[in-house]
Amino acid sequence: MSASAIEQDAMRRALELARRGPRGLNPQVGAVILSPAGEIIAEGWHRGAGTAHAEVDALSKLPGDQARGATAVVTLEPCNHTGRTGPCAVALIEAGVSRVVYGIDDRGVRSAGGADHLRSAGVSVTGGVLADRVRLLVHDWLVVQRLGRPHISVKWAQSLDGRAAAADGTSQWITGAVARADVHRRRAGADAIVAGTGTVLADDPALTARTADGTLYPHQPVPVILGVRPVPAGAAVRRHPHEALFFDGRDLPALLEDLRVRGIQRVFIEGGPTIASAFIRAGLYDQILAYIAPVLLGGARLALADLGVPTIGAARRLAVASVDTLGDDLLIVATPSEGDL
């Protein structure tokens, strides 16, 4: 059974409601309850981990058995597990809902299966309604479900001959203003920005995302500092809008799990050759952002350190996704070739 025009309109409203919820460990989800006559009688959305899911939030606004015979329109397949809240599929069944329309399947290992549970209880179920729009809304969350960790972009800036700094260690600025503006725009799209203590102590970066006039973007990535050396109280990163997180960096999978549990979905690695190389060597990267300036520096300060590649046959092969000109510089965006990770 396909979704009616009224149900599709309700899904558009559910998408609007979903956007009110926070990005984080759980997906943004919205729900609309329609009466048998097709009128909206309740709305709800998920307000973050530990709070009522969108369907339950909407049902809580209906007294008595007002939901009996109603249709629930939800952006994500109702969950089928008990965590900090109960299974939404069961809540809908107990409320007497006769039909459920949803956007995309729940890909969670524990939470999937709600649609089958509903069907087994005699509830009419239709999925895939406005799926592309829903998928776009929760794209980052879906990536985390697939990978089991946040999405990772590794960025560096280099000279044409592959150097990240001159012989004396100076590196500001290898690339021009247009390339640097692109970096800040991408920082603003990340949930966390990772740097090493070496970079923090040498360059004193703020690790903020700034517009061309120096003002802060509305969304700022959480600074994550890796290393064992202490960072001074007066360091610029200490004045970041978000409190910095500090890790020794010895266990990268554990670090990423910690960030995932905090609701961080996109990680931007901008920590210098040591940190960038550590993530690539561990196979923990999904996108490479290489900003290349038409300058020559020579010397030993390479943009990357040891990657664990002893011979050409072990080279880490990449697929080029795009090559863009940014002022006088180039940006090469690449992803791991199939089978490389």
Side-chain angles (χ1 to χ4, degrees), residues 193-198 200-201 205-207 222-240 242-251 254-255 258-259 262 264:
I193 180 169
V194 178
T197 52
V200 172
L201 295 174
L207 298 182
V222 175
V224 178
I225 311 302
L226 305 187
V228 296
R229 287 184 284 176
V231 174
V237 73
R238 299 282 194 183
R239 301 188 294 276
H240 195 284
H242 296 294
E243 183 177 355
L245 303 177
F246 294 88
F247 300 86
D248 62 24
R250 294 190 179 101
D251 189 338
L255 161 69
D258 187 293
L259 297 181
R262 293 174 187 268
I264 289 172

Side-chain angles (χ1 to χ4, degrees), residues 27-236:
Q28 294 169 292
V29 181
V32 170
I33 308 295
L34 299 175
S35 71
E39 300 172 338
I40 295 178
I41 55 176
E43 298 178 336
W45 66 92
H46 184 49
R47 291 168 171 81
T51 66
H53 288 189
E55 305 93 313
V56 174
D57 183 46
L59 290 172
S60 69
K61 299 167 185 173
L62 296 176
D65 62 352
Q66 196 173 345
R68 192 160 300 281
T71 295
V73 179
V74 193
T75 55
L76 182 67
E77 176 189 9
C79 70
N80 195 40
H81 84 296
T82 299
R84 282 189 269 186
T85 59
C88 293
V90 172
L92 292 167
I93 293 168
E94 292 178 346
V97 168
S98 63
R99 177 163 165 75
V100 171
V101 175
Y102 70 90
I104 62 173
D105 294 338
D106 188 331
R107 300 296 178 87
V109 174
R110 295 183 303 154
S111 54
D116 289 340
H117 192 161
L118 289 161
R119 290 189 182 98
S120 67
V123 177
S124 171
V125 179
T126 296
V129 178
L130 302 187
D132 288 345
R133 296 190 188 185
V134 177
R135 198 173 290 112
L136 182 62
L137 174 67
V138 296
H139 173 266
D140 291 345
W141 179 81
L142 290 171
V143 170
V144 172
Q145 304 316 297
R146 176 171 59 83
L147 297 175
R149 57 163 175 78
H151 178 278
I152 302 170
S153 295
V154 179
K155 169 263 174 184
W156 67 80
Q158 67 172 65
S159 63
L160 193 60
D161 56 344
R163 269 61 182 178
D168 64 354
T170 56
S171 61
Q172 297 181 347
W173 300 101
I174 289 178
T175 54
V178 178
R180 296 198 299 274
D182 185 77
V183 171
H184 281 274
R185 180 182 63 80
R186 292 175 186 272
R187 283 185 183 183
D191 298 318
I193 180 169
V194 178
T197 52
T199 296
V200 172
L201 295 174
D203 299 337
D204 195 26
L207 298 182
T208 52
R210 302 181 298 279
T211 64
D213 64 6
T215 58
L216 297 181
Y217 275 99
H219 177 76
Q220 291 293 315
V222 175
V224 178
I225 311 302
L226 305 187
V228 296
R229 287 184 284 176
V231 174

